[in-house]
Amino acid sequence: MAIVVWLEEVGKEDIPVVGGKGASLGEMINIGIPVPGGFAVTAQAFRQFIERAGIAKELFDSLKVDVNNPEELLRAEARAKKIVMDAEVPKDIENAIKERYRELCEREGEEVFVAVRSSATAEDLPDASFAGQQETYLNVRGADAVFEAVKKCWASLYGARAIFYRVEQGFEHEKVNLSAIVQKMVDSEKSGVMFSSQPSTGEPLVVIEAAWGLGEAVVSGSVSPDNYVVDRTSKKIVHKMIATKEIMIVRDPVTSKTVTVPVPPEKRAAQGLTESEILDLAKYAEILERHYGIPQDIEWGVQKNKIYILQSRPITTIAKSAAKAAAEAPGTARVLVTGLGASPGTATGTVRIISGVRDLEKIKDGDIMVTRMTMPDMVPAMRRAGAIVTDEGGMACHAAIVSRELGCPAVVGTKNATKVLRDGMVVTVDGTKGQVYEGKVAVAEEKKAQPVAVAYKPVTATEVKVNISEPTRAQAAAATMADGVGLLRIEHMILGLGKTPGYYIRSGRSEEYVNELVRNIKIVADAFYPKPVWVRTLDAPTDEFRAMEGGENEPIEHNPMLGWRGIRRDLTEVEHFRLEIRAFKKLHELGLTNVGIMLPMVQHVSELKRAKEIMVEEGLDLSRIDVGIMVETPAAALTIEDFIEEGLDFISFGTNDLTQYTLAVDRNNENVAGLYSEMHPAVIKLIEYVVERCKKAGVKTSICGQAGSYPEMARRLVEIGIDSISANIDAVAAVRETVARAELSILLEAARNR
């Protein structure tokens, strides 16, 4: 078997030889797509290295650990990588790699920079993705450096994430190989990603995202890109959104290293792609979808006015319910379970019963996720689901809130869905009526509700902001033209990492954790700059942490909602709170001064005072950053004067919790769902009390709870005099209209009474 092969020598049938990425690149070259030239060090070369170096047994024995034990997993990573890097590569393999690089340089007429990229033999497939788990090395030049980068790629197959993923997925370490792709580096002046079909609905629309510099800025989410949409039927550009692009990733001309630099002022708000480039990219996208027979997710770059396609893989986000219409309804559709219609829309798909985090990989695109209740660490699977059905929960539960934000139909509080529905059943979920039908049923709505940019924005004195749980929804949220972000939930980012903050601290990886927070928050802050983005610090109950790596010693609380969460946890796990503050500091140093800090679950002014002391200790200038509190306990509402005296910039009502703590009604308990009402006079009186005192003191007031999305509550809040209302993405337009009508009504009434 060959040690190295030119990319043009392989195609889509050669995944066992060059992995998914390599096979795709070779396939594109052979159909005439402009792909940078290069070669692949085959998976068989990697296997020969392991066997002939005599490290196979030691290597695979080192991986026999409990992957749920963080310390064991990290030790396994360190040992396995050391075994690979210390082993001597057979000379014929080393020489073949170096010689092929020299041949590539001869082809190009100079000693070229290359990208050395990992391509696992089960990568970029619809049913198994190893993407992002191994390393890529950019701007590598010289035969020795290329050989060293290939060896590092091999070692990266044994990173902690990759080890954990394989064990969780049931892949045997011994059977997963890796090919290293060595490809001429495109020093892109502009680059990005595109989808050959609309990635949410499957419509024949090419969606292109573009930014200056190398594509890593767009792929990682570190910059807000331009967005272009091309109608494949009319071949016309039907949408353009030009973003402010603050940074770009480029090759340093002196050091040749990849660096992040500010975008020149004249280019920040400039359109990145020409009209012809947009249409040419759309043409390539259509060719690739037609060739592969499935919508594609494509990376591209432009160097010296020439387009290069860098990677193409199947889109895995188009729900089956969006791609196929439901069958005609029978005369009488059989209702299997009934609950609360928590997120509108309908979807038909295959039932997958989820009993815990370990089951989440069962969820494929478009499946119906059925579980007792959802947790934040389930969000990655929820993104793939066509619809969500839960046994427990009310309109303000986690499943309901996240489903609405994702535009995913949801029925909650069914009490018996996990018992009545069975794995493999085909059902239709109606998230509007709160019903689950047997089989495929044609209903009024068949596609997920998708937030769209509004063509008209009424001018209102009361600001209308947006709530965001997932940074991936930042562009959809920004398209609503909201006046800022009234609530960015940090716990969803943290729990989405799969490891507790304590895990990172104990593993000596605090800086990695801080950078993850910065990266995720930055996506949203960039999308809205200079509009304010209020970020809520950690507010996750202990039961949600207990299911994560590092959560083994979390306390078991009888009622976690009333337990160790919010500011209570931040001020006892102070080291974690300090990491959050360091993330905020970094964001401000990056120029994102629109980011504010919002403290949850406060009930005594001493909590605000101590939190501010820690912020100052960590070097935050409190005169340059907005600091506020969530008012979600009656205690905070009734002592608001004390908080004002201590000093704060804003407050935001969390009506979900404020209502349950005022009325003694568990918001996640379907048995008492009928008693839960944010419009209860006691809740309204608490809101009025706080707003009145804050207005006198010049403290901004807002609401970010679910109630802010209800038109009747929005009108009442305008009458009370609240400064802003923050609604879910799908409700911003409706709330803005309600606010505008309420303000006009108040003005007319005042004029008539003169």
Side-chain angles (χ1 to χ4, degrees):
M1 182 62 68
I3 295 171
V4 291
V5 293
W6 292 111
L7 290 178
E8 64 264 28
E9 295 174 345
V10 297
K12 61 184 178 182
E13 307 302 326
D14 295 306
I15 290 174
V17 179
V18 294
K21 190 179 281 100
S24 175
L25 291 170
E27 184 73 15
M28 289 191 290
I29 290 173
N30 287 312
I31 64 171
I33 299 294
V35 172
F39 62 91
V41 182
T42 65
Q44 287 66 39
F46 167 72
R47 179 58 56 175
Q48 282 186 45
F49 156 58
I50 290 176
E51 298 294 342
R52 291 168 59 189
I55 63 173
K57 185 177 187 307
E58 183 186 8
L59 176 62
F60 296 126
D61 283 349
S62 73
L63 305 177
K64 294 175 181 177
V65 296
D66 177 5
V67 296
N68 292 302
N69 183 311
E71 290 76 17
E72 281 191 39
L73 185 60
L74 288 173
R75 281 197 298 270
E77 173 185 27
R79 185 180 173 195
K81 285 185 173 181
K82 188 174 189 304
I83 290 169
V84 173
M85 294 306 296
D86 288 351
E88 186 173 347
V89 179
K91 278 298 178 185
D92 58 325
I93 296 178
E94 178 180 351
N95 291 338
I97 294 169
K98 291 181 177 179
E99 182 57 34
R100 187 54 57 94
Y101 169 74
R102 295 187 188 100
E103 290 176 23
L104 176 63
C105 294
E106 289 176 10
R107 281 186 171 193
E108 299 295 334
E110 61 178 336
E111 187 176 54
V112 293
F113 286 95
V114 294
V116 182
R117 311 165 74 188
S118 304
S119 180
T121 53
E123 189 175 48
D124 292 344
L125 302 176
D127 57 350
S129 176
F130 285 47
Q133 294 186 25
Q134 287 81 47
E135 297 297 330
T136 291
Y137 299 92
L138 303 178
N139 294 311
V140 182
R141 185 165 65 173
D144 291 338
V146 168
F147 171 68
E148 187 66 18
V150 168
K151 201 171 180 184
K152 288 179 181 177
C153 277
W154 288 344
S156 74
L157 189 58
Y158 304 107
R161 264 181 64 198
I163 297 169
F164 182 85
Y165 179 84
R166 288 195 293 273
V167 171
E168 289 291 291
Q169 295 299 307
F171 289 99
E172 296 179 39
H173 297 299
E174 295 87 339
K175 293 183 179 178
V176 176
N177 294 319
L178 185 137
S179 169
I181 309 301
V182 181
Q183 190 178 20
K184 181 187 174 184
M185 186 80 191
V186 175
D187 194 13
S188 304
E189 290 107 25
K190 43 194 170 184
S191 56
V193 297
M194 63 177 169
F195 304 99
S196 62
S197 291
Q198 213 289 336
S200 298
T201 65
E203 295 174 273
L205 302 171
V206 178
V207 180
I208 302 170
E209 293 190 333
W212 302 113
L214 301 179
E216 282 67 33
V218 177
V219 175
S220 68
S222 59
V223 68
S224 296
D226 292 348
N227 181 276
Y228 312 97
V229 178
V230 178
D231 186 325
R232 281 171 37 188
T233 304
S234 67
K235 312 299 183 189
K236 292 183 178 178
I237 301 168
V238 294
H239 169 79
K240 286 196 295 187
M241 186 193 77
I242 310 305
T244 301
K245 301 166 284 293
E246 299 288 344
I247 63 166
M248 59 182 179
I249 298 175
V250 298
R251 182 168 70 212
D252 188 294
V254 178
T255 66
S256 297
K257 292 182 178 179
T258 303
V259 295
T260 301
V261 299
V263 173
E266 68 275 11
K267 296 175 71 174
R268 287 178 186 172
Q271 179 173 320
L273 292 174
T274 65
E275 307 289 303
S276 62
E277 286 171 337
I278 295 169
L279 294 174
D280 284 346
L281 282 167
K283 178 186 69 177
Y284 288 130
E286 191 168 4
I287 290 170
L288 287 168
E289 177 171 325
R290 191 164 60 243
H291 178 75
Y292 286 111
I294 186 172
Q296 296 289 297
D297 172 353
I298 302 156
E299 295 179 25
W300 55 270
V302 177
Q303 181 181 10
K304 296 180 180 177
N305 299 318
K306 181 176 180 180
I307 292 173
Y308 292 93
I309 301 300
L310 307 177
Q311 186 168 323
S312 185
R313 54 183 171 238
I315 295 178
T316 57
T317 56
I318 297 177
K320 296 171 187 174
S321 57
K324 295 181 180 179
E328 289 300 314
T332 304
R334 183 185 173 203
V335 177
L336 298 176
V337 293
T338 300
L340 299 173
S343 180
T346 62
T348 297
T350 304
V351 168
R352 301 296 177 200
I353 305 293
I354 303 300
S355 57
V357 176
R358 290 181 181 274
D359 294 337
L360 293 178
E361 292 302 326
K362 288 167 57 176
I363 302 292
K364 306 303 180 187
D365 295 322
D367 285 346
I368 307 301
M369 181 175 175
V370 181
T371 187
R372 189 175 71 85
M373 62 186 297
T374 65
M375 299 288 187
D377 51 2
M378 293 182 176
V379 170
M382 294 173 72
R383 290 197 197 104
R384 299 193 296 271
I388 312 293
V389 182
T390 69
D391 287 347
E392 300 180 2
M395 292 296 290
C397 71
H398 176 266
I401 292 171
V402 174
S403 295
R404 283 191 292 269
E405 183 163 316
L406 295 175
C408 177
V411 177
V412 303
T414 65
K415 296 188 180 180
N416 61 354
T418 56
K419 297 181 178 66
V420 174
L421 305 180
R422 299 185 307 278
D423 257 329
M425 292 178 66
V426 174
V427 299
T428 298
V429 177
D430 187 336
T432 304
K433 295 180 180 178
Q435 295 180 323
V436 180
Y437 302 98
E438 183 177 34
K440 295 182 179 180
V441 176
V443 285
E445 293 179 278
E446 291 179 346
K447 292 184 179 179
K448 291 182 179 181
Q450 296 294 323
V452 295
V454 292
Y456 164 66
K457 176 185 174 182
V459 177
T460 60
T462 308
E463 292 185 330
V464 179
K465 298 180 179 178
V466 66
N467 298 334
I468 301 179
S469 295
E470 291 293 308
T472 56
R473 301 290 289 159
Q475 292 301 324
T480 66
M481 296 191 288
D483 296 311
V485 178
L487 170 63
L488 175 58
R489 299 175 175 93
I490 202 171
E491 67 270 11
H492 288 196
M493 304 174 198
I494 295 171
L495 296 168
L497 296 174
K499 301 176 181 67
T500 66
Y503 171 92
Y504 285 93
I505 293 169
R506 291 190 296 273
S507 303
R509 296 163 63 183
S510 295
E511 193 62 25
E512 178 184 339
Y513 175 75
V514 170
N515 290 337
E516 281 290 337
L517 292 182
V518 171
R519 182 179 69 82
N520 280 287
I521 296 171
K522 188 176 185 302
I523 293 170
V524 180
D526 275 333
F528 279 86
Y529 188 85
K531 297 175 183 177
V533 174
W534 291 345
V535 183
R536 186 174 71 187
T537 58
L538 179 65
D539 189 24
T542 52
D543 57 334
E544 295 178 353
F545 270 144
R546 200 157 50 244
M548 299 168 63
E549 277 190 81
E552 299 81 7
N553 297 319
E554 286 289 310
I556 297 176
E557 298 180 312
H558 179 65
N559 189 339
M561 294 297 288
L562 293 173
W564 193 38
R565 54 176 285 215
I567 194 67
R568 302 167 180 180
R569 184 169 195 136
D570 275 341
L571 296 184
T572 48
E573 284 194 340
V574 177
E575 180 57 29
H576 166 254
F577 186 54
R578 290 183 184 277
L579 297 184
E580 291 182 287
I581 299 307
R582 288 170 201 167
F584 289 119
K585 185 180 178 184
K586 278 193 173 186
L587 288 160
H588 271 243
E589 289 170 350
L590 289 171
L592 294 170
T593 53
N594 57 326
V595 173
I597 305 173
M598 186 156 62
L599 304 173
M601 279 296 288
V602 295
Q603 54 89 25
H604 196 281
V605 69
S606 61
E607 295 166 330
L608 172 62
K609 183 177 181 180
R610 178 58 186 142
K612 288 170 62 179
E613 289 172 352
I614 294 171
M615 293 176 196
V616 172
E617 290 168 9
E618 290 298 325
L620 267 188
D621 183 350
L622 297 187
S623 68
R624 299 173 65 104
I625 186 169
D626 283 345
V627 177
I629 63 168
M630 296 278 291
V631 175
E632 48 198 338
T633 65
L638 294 172
T639 60
I640 192 63
E641 296 96 338
D642 296 337
F643 290 96
I644 292 171
E645 186 176 347
E646 169 58 33
L648 75 167
D649 300 294
F650 67 88
I651 68 94
S652 184
F653 294 102
T655 52
N656 298 343
D657 277 337
L658 183 61
T659 301
Q660 75 169 347
Y661 299 145
T662 302
L663 304 183
V665 174
D666 181 354
R667 63 187 171 106
N668 289 328
N669 187 338
E670 65 277 3
N671 295 313
V672 291
L675 301 175
Y676 183 91
S677 172
E678 298 95 331
M679 296 297 292
H680 190 287
V683 178
I684 300 298
K685 283 186 178 181
L686 287 172
I687 293 173
E688 288 177 335
Y689 183 88
V690 173
V691 171
E692 180 182 336
R693 282 149 183 79
C694 285
K695 287 182 78 69
K696 287 180 180 178
V699 174
K700 289 174 282 189
T701 57
S702 185
I703 180 173
C704 61
Q706 177 66 23
S709 298
Y710 303 153
E712 63 271 25
M713 175 63 96
R715 178 180 173 83
R716 186 75 186 97
L717 291 168
V718 170
E719 293 170 348
I720 292 170
I722 203 162
D723 293 315
S724 66
I725 298 173
S726 193
N728 296 332
I729 294 175
D730 59 350
V732 168
V735 170
R736 186 183 288 123
E737 188 70 28
T738 299
V739 167
R741 288 178 180 274
E743 289 182 349
L744 283 173
S745 177
I746 292 169
L747 288 171
L748 283 171
E749 188 174 343
R752 288 167 180 159
N753 291 333
R754 283 180 181 174

